[in-house]
Amino acid sequence: MNFSITILGSGAALPTKNRMPTAQYVNCNNRHFLIDCAEGTQLQLRKYKINFQKLSHVFISHLHGDHYFGLAGLLSTMNLLGREKELTIFGPPELETILKPMLFYGGARLAFNLKFKSLNRIVKEMIYEDDIVKVFSFPLVHKIPTSGFLIEEKPKPLKINPSMIEAYNLKIEHFKDLQNGKDIILDSGEVCSFEKVTLKPKKLLSYAYCSDTKKSETVAKAIYGATHLYHEATFLIKDQKRANSTAHSTTKDAADVAIQANINKLIVGHISSRYKTNDDHEHEMLHFFANSIVAKDGLCIDLTKE
Ligand SMILES: [Zn+2]
């Protein structure tokens, strides 16, 4: 099974030679998701060798341009390259009314079905589910309505411990109940607990995405217990005032949310173009939340290993 994130753009509003604005590719057990789609995202997808025709769902956090200006171009390219597979875009309700005229007046007739789904910006909500993954949206705290996303693995059927099959004389017809966490009654009439005869399941992985946002306890509650968190840290501590006035976060804000939410690994990004390198962010993160990493374009994080 695989679960990985590729940072396509680690920068804030201004694209630079070193950093593109926000977009991320998520591969969760071969579900292919794009979170945000800043200008140039299609080029970043090519650069990092990601087949964008595999994408099935796009999640747009909010309507500041550095989070969605690449969408019209990406859709147009998908169409030119002969896409037939349906694509679903989750985003603010206004997104459909912005994108459809852009495509219409450009004469683009999409050969694939494009679905828009509006995010609930008031409460946390499950927006996607299949047999192995669930995706939630939840409100962030920013200048305009903004949503974060939480991608969670669903529990998989338990594995029977092979050495217990003979020991308990387990039969095929017992397996399904045991794998679903149900105790069974053996031929002898004895109750056999599923915990005794199945292998301990691996911890389920989950990835929370919080950009753009101020530090918020409500946000920490919405993502509580996620194994991995991407939280924006647009600013360093010395620019806390600027972070507050623009409804963004500093390194410490991101770390505080990660601590409150009991996160294992923190990735910070959406780095302002005023900082030329990651050095100062790395220095501060080491102090505030040691198990963290400062994003750069092209960074790939394998959640199964970290
Ligand atoms: Zn923003």
Side-chain angles (χ1 to χ4, degrees), residues 62-64 66-67 142-144 146 211-212 246-248 270:
H62 67 304
L63 293 179
H64 282 154
D66 58 319
H67 291 255
H142 195 38
K143 285 270 183 186
I144 59 172
T146 303
S211 184
D212 300 355
T246 55
H248 280 297
H270 200 265

Side-chain angles (χ1 to χ4, degrees), residues 41 45 59 65 67 89 92 117 177 194 214 229 268 275 298 301:
T41 294
L45 285 162
F59 304 94
H67 291 255
I89 301 178
K117 295 204 171 171
D177 280 345
F194 76 90
K214 287 206 287 196
L229 165 64
V268 296
Y275 313 116
I301 295 150

Side-chain angles (χ1 to χ4, degrees), residues 102-114:
M102 285 180 80
L103 296 167
F104 175 79
Y105 287 113
R109 274 208 215 125
L110 298 186
F112 60 94
N113 191 21
L114 182 62

Side-chain angles (χ1 to χ4, degrees), residues 137-185:
S137 72
F138 54 90
L140 296 172
V141 185
H142 195 38
K143 285 270 183 186
I144 59 172
T146 303
S147 300
F149 303 103
L150 174 64
I151 300 170
E152 286 183 353
E153 283 183 321
K154 285 169 71 169
K156 302 172 184 90
L158 297 165
K159 286 196 175 126
I160 309 280
N161 184 342
S163 65
M164 293 295 165
I165 295 175
E166 210 177 326
Y168 283 86
N169 195 20
L170 298 176
K171 303 204 170 108
I172 294 279
E173 58 262 33
H174 294 139
F175 284 17
K176 201 173 171 198
D177 280 345
L178 292 168
Q179 288 177 311
N180 288 325
K182 286 187 194 151
D183 298 341
I184 55 154
I185 297 174

